[in-house]
């Protein structure tokens, strides 16, 4: 089990059973590499745990992702990793990253 130290995570779902996991960080240049490393750690986990099911839900995929990296004013950097997936994917994420232990995620 891993705890994310830099990325802030939010989990939501919709009426169609698709879960969205947003992992966000806005950091100074000094911490930017660490934020990117955490995002990569999450992606590495997803590829390892669900290696053959990547793709959009409407095409039968169990999980998909979008990574955005933006340079902001004042030398800040934003990292946004958005994962969408099934309930099983969301539960596995919550267990792997010690997220939502107080909830029944």
């Amino acid at each position: 089990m891993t705890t994310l130290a830099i990325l802030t995570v939010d989990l939501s779902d919709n009426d169609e059973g698709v879960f969205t996991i947003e992992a966000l960080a806005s950091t100074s240049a000094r911490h930017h590499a660490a934020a990117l490393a955490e995002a990569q750690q999450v992606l590495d986990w997803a590829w390892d745990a669900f290696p053959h099911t990547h793709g959009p839900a409407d095409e039968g995929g169990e999980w998909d992702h979008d990574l955005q990296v933006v340079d902001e004013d004042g030398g800040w950097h934003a990292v946004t990793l958005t994962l969408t997936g099934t309930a099983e994917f969301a539960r596995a994420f919550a267990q792997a990253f010690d997220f939502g232990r107080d909830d029944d995620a």
Side-chain angles (χ1 to χ4, degrees):
M1 186 170 6
T2 301
T3 301
L4 299 172
I6 296 176
L7 295 174
T8 301
V9 177
D10 183 49
L11 174 67
S12 61
D13 66 330
N14 66 18
D15 293 338
E16 297 171 5
V18 176
F19 285 75
T20 299
I21 301 164
E22 287 190 312
L24 314 164
S26 182
T27 65
S28 65
R30 187 175 107 188
H31 297 289
H32 183 58
L36 287 174
E38 279 195 1
Q40 187 61 56
Q41 180 180 13
V42 171
L43 284 173
D44 289 346
W45 166 82
W47 283 112
D48 287 345
F50 295 85
H52 304 294
T53 59
H54 181 264
D58 59 356
E59 295 177 13
E62 190 163 11
W63 72 282
D64 204 0
H65 78 283
D66 180 50
L67 177 63
Q68 302 282 326
V69 180
V70 177
D71 292 333
E72 299 178 329
D73 291 337
W76 287 82
H77 304 276
V79 174
T80 304
L81 175 60
T82 304
L83 301 163
T84 55
T86 62
E88 180 183 347
F89 180 84
R91 277 191 296 274
F93 173 88
Q95 183 176 16
F97 290 96
D98 195 25
F99 177 75
R101 288 177 51 120
D102 295 334
D103 304 325
D104 290 326

